[in-house]
Amino acid sequence: MPGLVFIVSGPSGVGKSTLRKEVMSRCDNLKYSVSYTTRPPRKGEQEGVDYTFISHDTFTKMRDEGKFAEWARVHGNYYGTPIEPIVRWTEEGFDVILEIDVQGAMQVKNSFPEEVFVFIAPPSLADLEKRLRWRKTDHEDDILLRMTHAHLELDAVRDYNYLVVNERLEEAVKKFHAIILAERCRIR
Ligand code: ADP
Ligand code: 5GP
C-alpha cells in the first residue's frame, strides 16, 4: 500500500518541529520532507536536515522546472516542497510529514484532498509570542511579522482534518502520534 502524507501547519513558533521530531523518535515508517528555502539558516540549523538552503535564482529555476509539489512566499522568503522524495517514499510504503504554511497546504489540498491535514495551534497568542522569544532565533522585526501572520493563519484551521493544541508538549505529542496511528487504520 502506498504511504500517507501528513500535512502539518500552524503559526511559526507553535512547536511544529519540536512535535514532529518527538513523534518521529517514537513512530516508525515515517519520513520528513525537507523543504527548500531562500531564508538564511538560523543558528544550529543543518543543511539538508532542517532545510535545503538555496539562492533566490535557484529557487526560481526549480519552481519553473516544476520540481515543487507546492511553494509559497512566507514572511518575505520563499519555501518549496520537492516532489521527488514524496513520490519515492510513498511508493516505498513510508508515510511522509510535510511541515508547510497554510498557503502551501491549500495547494496540496487542491491536488490531493484525501491526504491528512493537521493544524497545530498555541494555547493562546501570548504563549506563541513567548515561545518565539524563548527560541532566540528571530530578530524583533521577524517576531512581530510572525505574530501578525499568526492571527491570519489561525483562521485557516477549519480547512484541516485535525487540530492539536500544543499546550503541554507531552500531551500534544501523544495526540499527534494517535492521529498517525488512527489514519494508518482507516479504511480508504
Ligand atoms: P515551529 O517549528 O512551529 O516554528 P518550534 O518547534 O521551533 O516551532 O518551537 C518554538 C519554541 O517553542 C521552541 O523553543 C520550543 O522548544 C518551544 N516549545 C515547543 N512546544 C512547547 C510547549 N508545548 N510548551 C512550551 N514551549 C514549547
Ligand atoms: P521558518 O522560517 O520559521 O522555518 O518557517 C516559516 C513558515 O514557513 C512556517 O509556517 C513553515 O511551516 C513554512 N514552511 C516551511 N517549509 C515550507 C514549504 O516547503 N512550503 C511552504 N508553503 N511553507 C513552508
Side-chain angles (χ1 to χ4, degrees):
M1 255 213 327
L4 306 170
V5 181
F6 292 90
I7 298 96
V8 178
S9 306
S12 183
V14 73
K16 296 181 295 297
S17 56
T18 309
L19 268 173
R20 180 246 310 162
K21 285 174 190 165
E22 196 49 46
V23 165
M24 288 187 76
S25 74
R26 300 180 190 191
C27 190
D28 58 8
N29 221 52
L30 271 178
K31 297 275 189 190
Y32 174 60
S33 158
V34 178
S35 294
Y36 283 71
T37 184
T38 62
R39 167 169 79 60
R42 294 190 185 118
K43 204 163 167 267
E45 280 184 333
Q46 284 176 270
E47 165 73 25
V49 174
D50 297 291
Y51 283 104
T52 299
F53 297 96
I54 54 172
S55 67
H56 191 263
D57 283 352
T58 307
F59 190 96
T60 310
K61 187 164 175 283
M62 287 183 70
R63 184 194 61 194
D64 294 348
E65 287 170 355
K67 298 245 165 80
F68 295 131
E70 62 73 37
W71 65 273
R73 182 167 186 239
V74 191
H75 312 137
N77 298 300
Y78 289 87
Y79 297 80
T81 301
I83 294 178
E84 188 275 324
I86 302 179
V87 172
R88 179 163 38 87
W89 285 330
T90 52
E91 281 177 3
E92 288 169 359
F94 290 102
D95 296 337
V96 183
I97 298 182
L98 267 56
E99 227 176 86
I100 63 176
D101 89 315
V102 168
Q103 307 169 70
M106 292 308 107
Q107 290 173 44
V108 177
K109 198 174 177 191
N110 282 337
S111 319
F112 306 99
E114 72 287 359
E115 299 301 349
V116 188
F117 294 81
V118 181
F119 196 90
I120 315 290
S124 70
L125 286 169
D127 280 286
L128 182 67
E129 192 165 348
K130 264 193 235 158
R131 285 179 200 175
L132 280 170
R133 290 185 194 287
W134 280 337
R135 192 166 70 176
K136 294 193 169 62
T137 52
D138 302 280
H139 294 294
E140 183 61 23
D141 287 355
D142 287 328
I143 290 176
L144 296 178
L145 189 61
R146 283 168 159 72
M147 285 307 297
T148 310
H149 284 167
H151 287 266
L152 303 171
E153 282 168 328
L154 289 172
D155 276 349
V157 65
R158 64 176 75 92
D159 294 317
Y160 287 70
N161 303 114
Y162 293 98
L163 168 65
V164 175
V165 177
N166 182 18
E167 182 156 22
R168 285 191 49 240
L169 182 63
E170 180 56 25
E171 287 302 307
V173 171
K174 280 189 191 150
K175 287 177 184 170
F176 187 16
H177 193 181
I179 292 166
I180 294 170
L181 298 182
E183 285 292 333
R184 285 179 175 175
C185 297
R186 196 146 73 86
I187 298 165
R188 286 181 154 76

